[in-house]
Each structure stands twice: as structure tokens, then as C-alpha cells.
Amino acid sequence: QVKLVGSGGGKVQPGDSLRLSCAASGRTFTAPAMGWFRQAPGKEREFVASIAWGAHYADSVKGRFTISKDNEKNTIYLQMDSLKPEDTAVYYCAAGTPVQGILMRPSYWGQGTQVTVSS
């Protein structure tokens, strides 16, 4: 089992920045890819970014979000810049086996953290 604990959400204005963190513990070697998904009200959960031996991003966040990993701490970060109202969602940390380097079908999920972008 892998436990994921995410943090760092909040309410910001358009154009602001936020950084999310997610710490993994347990049998982390079974889940070499980690990443973030998000779910906005009334919408399906969608892929945001993942990192394994490289980083991958959804087109909607490319150039604004940056995912990184501290291997010693088994922690990933999502630096979100130039936030837009459409980035408002619950963000979920996830982990699992990558497919072609991308975390498509996570095996493990964190508890979710709310990000609200509003003026």
C-alpha cells in the first residue's frame, strides 16, 4: 500500500501562484509514477501532470504548471503559476505505474485539496 498526503490548496486571485505538495509513504517502489488530477464541480476528474522518468502535462496547464519530485522525501510538488478561474477544482495527488511514462490509471489517491481561483 502507498499512502499519499496532499497539501497546499487555497483561494487566490487570477494570475496568482500556488504550490501543492504530496508526500508518499509505504511501498512507494510499487508506484514509480506520481502526479496530480483535478475535478471541477460537475465535471469528470482529469489528468493535470505526472512525473516518472520525465514530466508530462495536460495541454490546459502546459507552460503554467511545473511538477517536480524530491526523491529523498518521496514528495512531489506542483507549482501553479498564472492561475485562471478555470483552474478551480479539487486537486488529487495520485500514484501508480506509468503507461508510456504517463500516470494514466493511478492505483493510489490522496485525499484532495481545494484550489479556488476567483477575484
Side-chain angles (χ1 to χ4, degrees):
Q1 283 286 357
V2 175
K3 181 178 180 181
L4 302 172
V5 179
S7 62
K11 182 177 180 180
V12 296
Q13 295 187 342
D16 284 352
S17 298
L18 270 179
R19 190 176 81 154
L20 305 182
S21 301
C22 176
S25 60
R27 299 169 61 87
T28 57
F29 61 90
T30 66
M34 293 181 67
W36 297 91
F37 288 67
R38 67 186 181 186
Q39 188 167 19
K43 294 187 177 181
E44 293 187 355
R45 192 172 298 188
E46 64 177 5
F47 171 82
V48 175
S50 72
I51 186 166
W53 37 86
H56 294 270
Y57 300 92
D59 287 343
S60 59
V61 306
K62 206 170 289 185
R64 300 187 298 121
F65 290 11
T66 303
I67 190 170
S68 60
K69 185 176 183 182
D70 184 329
N71 288 313
E72 288 189 2
K73 297 181 179 179
N74 280 325
T75 299
I76 62 168
Y77 305 94
L78 186 68
Q79 177 66 39
M80 304 185 293
D81 297 321
S82 302
L83 282 161
K84 304 175 180 180
E86 51 263 45
D87 294 318
T88 295
V90 177
Y91 284 70
Y92 296 91
C93 178
T97 300
V99 176
Q100 296 183 335
I102 303 172
L103 182 63
M104 294 182 178
R105 297 176 181 174
S107 301
Y108 305 99
W109 294 93
Q111 81 279 14
T113 184
Q114 177 71 46
V115 172
T116 302
V117 185
S118 174
S119 55

